[in-house]
Amino acid sequence: MSFQAYLDKIEEKTGKTPRELVDEAHQRGYGAADVKSGTILDWLKADYELGRGHGMALVHVIKNGAQISDKHVGTTGTHSDPSNMLWLDGKATNPALR
């Protein structure tokens, strides 16, 4: 599953776009460098029933922003993403899916 596919699935599961969840996390102070990933994962599990895999994808975005490594961009593997920038504003508005 690509990084973007994880974020799209999170939107389906929670009813919130990744950007809305990132904003909520930052309002809670979870974007700070000293916040442990486990703290964020606990919140995502309690409030949104997200498991570790989906939660860690969102933790990355909360802590590091929408840019990801070029490592899987344009590859043929299952983790391939078309871009190193993730779309956070919802599947329905993603220009790559049109």
Side-chain angles (χ1 to χ4, degrees), residues 32 36 38 41 45 48 81:
K36 302 275 187 203
L41 290 173
K45 178 71 172 168
Y48 298 105
D81 276 291

Side-chain angles (χ1 to χ4, degrees), residues 18-41:
R19 186 167 315 281
E20 290 171 321
L21 291 166
V22 168
D23 289 346
E24 184 177 344
H26 287 176
Q27 289 169 359
R28 292 170 171 264
Y30 293 159
D34 63 339
V35 174
K36 302 275 187 203
S37 296
T39 301
I40 301 171
L41 290 173

Side-chain angles (χ1 to χ4, degrees), residues 35-83:
V35 174
K36 302 275 187 203
S37 296
T39 301
I40 301 171
L41 290 173
D42 289 346
W43 161 62
L44 293 170
K45 178 71 172 168
D47 287 12
Y48 298 105
E49 299 180 2
L50 290 182
R52 183 169 179 80
H54 290 93
M56 285 304 292
L58 201 51
V59 164
H60 175 85
V61 176
I62 290 166
K63 291 182 147 269
N64 303 302
Q67 187 166 359
I68 59 172
S69 167
D70 289 333
K71 181 178 176 181
H72 297 294
V73 175
T75 65
T76 57
T78 58
H79 297 296
S80 180
D81 276 291
S83 169

